[in-house]
Amino acid sequence: MRTALVAAALLLVSGCGATVAQDTTSGEGPVTVTNCGQQVTYDRVPSKVVTNDTGITELMFALGLKDRMAGYVVNGLKTVDVQTSPWKADFESGKHLSDKISKEVVQGVNADLVFAGWNYGFSESTGFTPEALKQLGIPSYLLTEACRNGVGKQRGIMPALDALYTDLRNLGKIFRVEAKAEELVKSYQQQIENAGKLMAGKPRPKVFLYDSGQDQPFTSGKNAAPQDIIARAGGDNVFGDLNDSWTTVNWEAVVQRNPDVVLIVDYADGEANTPQEKQKFLEGFAPLQNSPAVKNKRFYSLPYAALVEGPRNPASIEAFAKYLSQA
């Protein structure tokens, strides 16, 4: 979805380290956007938004919308995200509501919008779903990376960067900051284009995204952010053929695909809490001993929030491209 720039007078609004170009002619009436394939109408500009997870929260911060938030939900395993965030000051000055999102949390702050996603807060098993919120009179917006694609609970309906741009433009329309959203999209596209030049003409390494899991690895299929991060940086995701976003595979498949590089997600997963511990596990895992990644110690890590859909994705592409180009 591409939102045209509005030819209107712009009011510069300062907020928490961000300057937002706000369309003064947009008004406060209803707006309709396409979210996960559905036409959704928002009757007014939300002013008490609750976000779930770091990447989702950073989308709001990047658009300069912290003052439109009642607070955010981020669990205690994501401390690396907050400490490394370009919006650390917004996290610190904003309201951390809970480690886990629930109906009670959002009702407690009179939320007028919940921004989350399937497996990013929304889950039938917990009863916290967009439909349950609708029954409470609370609208929701779903992260596009987490949209279900019609095959069971598999997620992903478009390439990951398209999902990022779609959400920025949708949020720009909902919150009447379309010019700011378009500014971000264009700057990200330029940053990604420049990063792609670093590996131009060089062999493309096979990359295994390792999130967590020792019995079975949790990784990224073609619909999650690492797919585009890896590809635009100059590599090939070894599980880029899986029609899903974040998903579990088996070690036999990892060994068979013989990765040249391992990209590690930096967050505490309950088994190996640091990238160093995850690397140590992989180096000691006998079936992977002959893989080029292990033999050549080709490991690189990025924070969780840099690898889920969010405004850190372009910088992640640039950083990973620099790493790959040094080989």
Side-chain angles (χ1 to χ4, degrees):
M1 295 175 61
R2 185 173 181 84
T3 304
L5 285 172
V6 179
L10 299 179
L11 173 67
L12 295 181
V13 180
S14 297
C16 304
T19 300
V20 181
Q22 185 173 19
D23 299 324
T24 60
T25 60
S26 296
E28 292 283 324
V31 297
T32 300
V33 301
T34 302
N35 184 212
C36 291
Q38 302 294 320
Q39 293 290 106
V40 184
T41 298
Y42 299 89
D43 293 334
R44 59 184 181 276
V45 180
S47 60
K48 296 180 180 179
V49 182
V50 172
T51 57
N52 184 75
D53 212 19
T54 44
I56 288 171
T57 303
E58 288 179 346
L59 280 169
M60 294 288 289
F61 291 160
L63 287 165
L65 297 172
K66 187 178 82 72
D67 290 344
R68 291 283 183 178
M69 295 173 59
Y72 61 88
V73 175
V74 174
N75 73 44
L77 300 179
K78 307 292 174 57
T79 55
V80 171
D81 278 359
V82 175
Q83 293 303 312
T84 61
S85 177
W87 300 274
K88 182 181 178 182
D90 285 344
F91 276 111
E92 292 177 342
S93 62
K95 188 172 183 180
H96 179 227
L97 300 175
S98 176
D99 283 355
K100 185 175 181 180
I101 199 163
S102 67
K103 296 174 187 176
E104 292 74 20
V105 168
V106 301
Q107 287 180 300
V109 292
N110 297 314
D112 58 5
L113 180 71
V114 173
F115 183 11
W118 292 113
N119 285 30
Y120 292 89
F122 289 134
S123 170
E124 286 93 351
S125 64
T126 64
F128 190 80
T129 66
E131 185 59 35
L133 290 177
K134 185 177 181 181
Q135 292 175 6
L136 296 173
I138 304 173
S140 59
Y141 183 85
L142 281 78
L143 186 75
T144 298
E145 182 191 53
C147 294
R148 287 178 173 164
N149 59 27
V151 183
K153 294 185 177 180
Q154 290 182 4
R155 296 172 294 157
I157 59 173
M158 64 180 71
L161 287 174
D162 289 348
L164 172 63
Y165 303 150
T166 294
D167 285 334
L168 285 170
R169 287 170 171 145
N170 278 350
L171 293 168
K173 187 174 183 181
I174 293 167
F175 290 95
R176 316 312 201 263
V177 291
E178 292 169 273
K180 178 62 177 180
E182 199 64 32
E183 175 190 324
L184 288 175
V185 170
K186 288 183 176 180
S187 68
Y188 293 160
Q189 289 172 333
Q190 186 63 58
Q191 185 177 12
I192 292 166
E193 181 181 345
N194 292 340
K197 297 174 183 177
L198 295 171
M199 283 289 288
K202 297 183 179 181
R204 298 180 67 87
K206 295 180 294 182
V207 181
F208 166 50
L209 186 285
Y210 181 51
D211 175 284
S212 57
Q214 296 186 355
D215 292 334
Q216 288 184 300
F218 196 61
T219 187
S220 166
K222 72 177 184 179
N223 300 326
Q227 171 71 10
D228 274 358
I229 291 171
I230 292 167
R232 295 301 185 94
D236 292 318
N237 176 12
V238 297
F239 288 106
D241 58 330
L242 298 183
N243 186 28
D244 205 346
S245 58
W246 296 89
T247 187
T248 299
V249 296
N250 58 60
W251 285 114
E252 290 80 4
V254 178
V255 173
Q256 184 179 32
R257 297 176 191 216
N258 203 32
D260 300 304
V261 177
V262 178
L263 177 56
I264 295 174
V265 184
D266 185 359
Y267 80 109
D269 64 18
E271 293 180 319
N273 289 326
T274 67
Q276 293 76 20
E277 289 172 324
K278 292 178 183 181
Q279 178 176 337
K280 183 178 179 181
F281 165 73
L282 294 172
E283 289 178 324
F285 187 61
L288 281 176
Q289 294 306 294
N290 292 322
S291 69
V294 172
K295 287 194 296 185
N296 298 320
K297 294 188 179 297
R298 299 288 317 274
F299 298 91
Y300 189 77
S301 67
L302 285 167
Y304 168 89
L307 289 165
V308 295
E309 185 203 318
R312 293 201 219 184
N313 293 164
S316 300
I317 293 169
E318 183 178 17
F320 194 44
K322 288 179 179 178
Y323 171 77
L324 295 180
S325 68
Q326 294 169 0

